Amino acid sequence: MTRIDAKFAELKAQGKKAFVAYVMAGDPDYDTSLEVVKGLPGAGVDIIELGLPFTDPMADGPTIQLAGQRALDGGMTLQKTLDLATEFRKTDDTTPIVMMGYYNPIYSRGVDTFLADAKAAGIDGLIVVDLPPEEDSELCIPAQAAGLNFIRLATPTTDDKRLPKVLQNTSGFVYYVSITGITGSAEAQATDVGPEVARIKANTDLPVIVGFGINTPEKAQNIASVADGAVVGSAIVSQIAAGNSVADVLGFVKSLADGAHRA
């Protein structure tokens, strides 16, 4: 059982929905980023999604793209992202960390080396948005063998024919993308999301977490009420981009977490 599995079991026992927060590793700089990440569990975050900066993102909207660029400009690398996770683990051995990014930096490092290093750093799961199920032998299956969850995205365009393929070899949870398009570009609607979550849950026992288009405590509550939890990324990254203090960023995160936990 991974930390992700344990966290969902704990939340289920408490009758609570999950709140997942995304931040870009190294944004706006390593030290500030580490301080934010260390503060997330205390702000009510159940699972941390740690963005891996990459030069050529595809699914990310302008907010996340700019965060990645700030991190890269500040010298952030895959190694420093792993270092950040290692540092976090010195004071928190229970909060799950999911690394979210693209395959190129992992491929460049070497899959076996990366998986060993990620496991040692305390990473629990991976979301690699540009690796479809047809490429499972590249990273997904080796990751599962190494004890890491491989989390897949399902979208409004994932039809009934495609869904079983998407769910195959997926573990930890299913990340449902609530809108078509990039992050931060539209608002999620519970009326649209609810039936889609039900459709996915009819095909898997995994929790279904919904992200993209959630930017207020009310929205987090509404979406979490029709799913197993909610993810917020762009709205949190925007707070960091605005130069707000770590305390203010974490205060905003807490408001979102409280919303999701009210569901």
Side-chain angles (χ1 to χ4, degrees), residues 6 22 29 124 126 240:
Y22 171 98
D29 56 69
D124 303 290
L126 302 173
I240 295 169

Side-chain angles (χ1 to χ4, degrees), residues 3 9 18 20 28 44 59 62-63 68 98 106 116 119 146 155 158 163 167 172 177 218 228 232 237 248 254 261 263:
R3 289 187 187 92
V20 183
T63 302
V98 175
I106 296 169
K119 187 75 175 168
T155 74
T158 306
L163 186 59
L167 296 174
V177 176
E218 295 72 28
D228 295 302
V232 178
V237 172
D248 284 347
K254 186 177 188 306
H261 290 149

Side-chain angles (χ1 to χ4, degrees), residues 5-39:
D5 301 328
K7 176 58 70 174
F8 279 113
E10 175 193 328
L11 289 167
K12 189 173 184 181
Q14 296 170 352
K16 285 173 68 176
K17 301 300 180 74
F19 180 68
V20 183
Y22 171 98
V23 292
M24 179 66 73
D27 176 36
D29 56 69
Y30 179 92
D31 291 339
T32 306
S33 178
L34 178 60
E35 196 178 344
V36 169
V37 172
K38 281 186 169 181

Side-chain angles (χ1 to χ4, degrees), residues 10 16 19 39 59 77 84 99 107 133 189 192 197 206 220 234 241-242:
E10 175 193 328
K16 285 173 68 176
F19 180 68
T77 61
L84 191 150
M99 185 183 283
Y107 177 80
Q189 303 295 335
D192 298 330
V197 171
L206 292 171
S234 293

